[in-house]
Amino acid sequence: MSTTEDQLLSVTDLQISYGNEPAVSGVSFTVGRGEVVAVVGESGSGKSTTAHAILGLLAGSGHVIGGTVEFEGERIDSYSDRAWQRIRGARVGLVPQDPTTSLNPVTRIGDQVAEVLRIHGLADRRKARLDAVEVLERAGIDRPEIRARQYPHELSGGMRQRVLIGIALVANPALIIADEPTSALDVTVQRRILDHLDERIAESGAAVLLITHDLGVAADRADRILVMQGGRIVESGRTADILDNPRHEYTKKLLNSAPSLSSGPVDRPVRQDTSPLLTLTGITKRFNVGRGSSITAVNEVSLTVPRGQTVSLVGESGSGKSTTARIAVRLEQPDAGTISFDGHDITKVKGSDLRELRRKIQLVYQNPYASLDPKLSVQDIVAEPLRAFKVGGGSQQQTRAAELLDQVALPDQFLSRKPAELSGGQRQRVAIARALALKPDLLVLDEPVSALDVSVQAQILALLDELQRELGLTYLFISHDLAVVRQISDVVGVMQAGRLLEIGTTTEIFDNPRNEYTRTLLDAIPGRDHSTRKAEHVRA
């Protein structure tokens, strides 16, 4: 806790509502000069709402109904728009979550940085363009002169996030509010971005209010942690105290759910039948990128998925893992190589044979909201494969839909609901139920938990494990999150630039990685140092 003299930000009994619905109730905390304070909690806990209220950026019907916010000894919660323009960006910087929506898609990167410099009176029009290149260089972006002339879609997610960090720090603000600044990024990119943010903050001496649902990130980066649930702070303290001696049940639940803070893999049963269900041999896939050029997305990948086991493919975005999965389910045709399923070559099957294959292999996507028809009820969504393959009559399909919902631990009353009426975790359960409708042998799971909070993530992983044990399912699991992979996998393959660099049992990959890239991925897992210390303490 900072002293009164050191306090930069002071929030006292803050209360926020959206319309008549309370969102934040009686939140109080301080941020000291040069301090990093992390606010953690699940979606809906009020952490982002609190951050937006501090900046005077509450959306829609959101408004502060009580309490105070003081910055540098001055009350700012009742500021006018003109007063906010004086300090927002200049004294308080924001690094938003999604660079795709935060950058103007039709304006060049350099012009967007230059605009910020002009708004804050740091440069005239001509000098702003020159300074924008320097800002990009300080943000760690390669070839800044070229990047300044590019549009946001021409930069990677990590580069776009660096641009936002550069913009947030350009006026040397005293406080940075970073709202889930790396949640959409791969672990290695996430680490580089957070390292860069740390370096820039060390240079400027700014304080940071870090909003995150990832306790691993908070463990690595924060001096103090505030835990929010239901619009309230249920626990706060030094990072080490929160991680090692949590007092509140909700904090304990979050810590137990966080895969990056786990000390090891989940115990998995020994399978007697290890005969191959799916085999990929020498798979290669190229995509045309215009003007006669092409990129090799998958390069001579060979992989075996044994019956009843979980084989995971991990790697950064662009590594080829999702393309490999799409080839496995015959949504993409390989340029070279063969695909064998249950002993049969399915590389070029068409028509009725391909349709029959769809019954045996099902795909669960990353985003359950996008993959579920918003107009249909849950019952119709789950029964859709049964109707498509004419399995049973209407009443039988309805009965089967109810059975499937029960399998994924959703009660009958959810049958009549639409996807918009469900949480992210509930929607993913519906997507899994639909995938199970035709009693498939293989489920291909493409980043099935990456969009979910850690506690919901843990529930879905436990459900997948339970279904595998009960139904003898085989999984091909795609993820960039090695901490998640460690919990659910029997075998792990590591991909980079379209190649399968190494493959082995979960223990082999995590305890004795052979490839330098694999070691880089493992080192980038947030909270890894804490989980290692925890494991050593337990063994002692």
Side-chain angles (χ1 to χ4, degrees), residues 373-420:
D373 190 329
K375 300 175 186 175
L376 297 182
S377 67
V378 166
Q379 179 172 277
D380 289 338
I381 288 169
V382 175
E384 189 176 18
L386 303 174
R387 292 194 300 274
F389 283 87
K390 297 180 171 60
V391 178
S395 61
Q396 292 172 306
Q397 291 169 2
Q398 291 177 6
T399 300
R400 175 68 175 146
E403 291 172 353
L404 288 162
L405 226 58
D406 183 61
Q407 275 189 326
V408 298
L410 287 177
D412 286 351
Q413 59 260 37
F414 281 81
L415 287 166
S416 60
R417 295 188 186 179
K418 301 286 181 66

Side-chain angles (χ1 to χ4, degrees), residues 169-244:
L169 289 166
V170 70
N172 291 318
L175 174 67
I176 299 291
I177 296 180
D179 187 8
E180 298 278 11
T182 58
S183 63
L185 303 177
D186 296 327
V187 288
T188 49
V189 180
Q190 173 180 267
R191 182 177 185 176
R192 289 196 293 268
I193 293 297
L194 291 173
D195 284 348
H196 171 70
L197 183 58
D198 284 350
E199 291 167 4
R200 294 297 311 278
I201 288 165
E203 292 172 5
S204 65
V208 181
L209 183 64
L210 174 64
I211 311 299
T212 182
H213 69 267
D214 191 331
L215 273 85
V217 169
D220 286 347
R221 308 289 170 171
D223 300 306
R224 286 190 295 124
I225 293 178
L226 314 176
V227 182
M228 287 194 70
Q229 180 191 29
R232 297 180 181 276
I233 294 175
V234 296
E235 185 166 1
S236 64
R238 292 174 57 252
T239 298
D241 294 337
I242 295 292
L243 297 176
D244 295 335

Side-chain angles (χ1 to χ4, degrees), residues 182-191 213-214 259-260 312-322 366 445-452 457 477-486 492-495 510 517-518 520-522 524-526:
T182 58
S183 63
L185 303 177
D186 296 327
V187 288
T188 49
V189 180
Q190 173 180 267
R191 182 177 185 176
H213 69 267
D214 191 331
S260 62
S312 294
L313 292 178
V314 300
E316 297 173 290
S317 296
S319 63
K321 58 188 186 297
S322 289
Q366 174 179 355
L445 301 133
D446 191 3
E447 300 275 12
V449 297
S450 63
L452 305 175
Q457 204 175 76
F477 193 93
I478 310 300
S479 180
H480 68 266
D481 191 332
L482 274 85
V484 166
V485 161
R486 187 173 196 181
V492 178
V494 181
M495 292 192 69
F510 278 81
Y517 177 70
T518 305
T520 299
L521 289 180
L522 292 171
I525 298 174

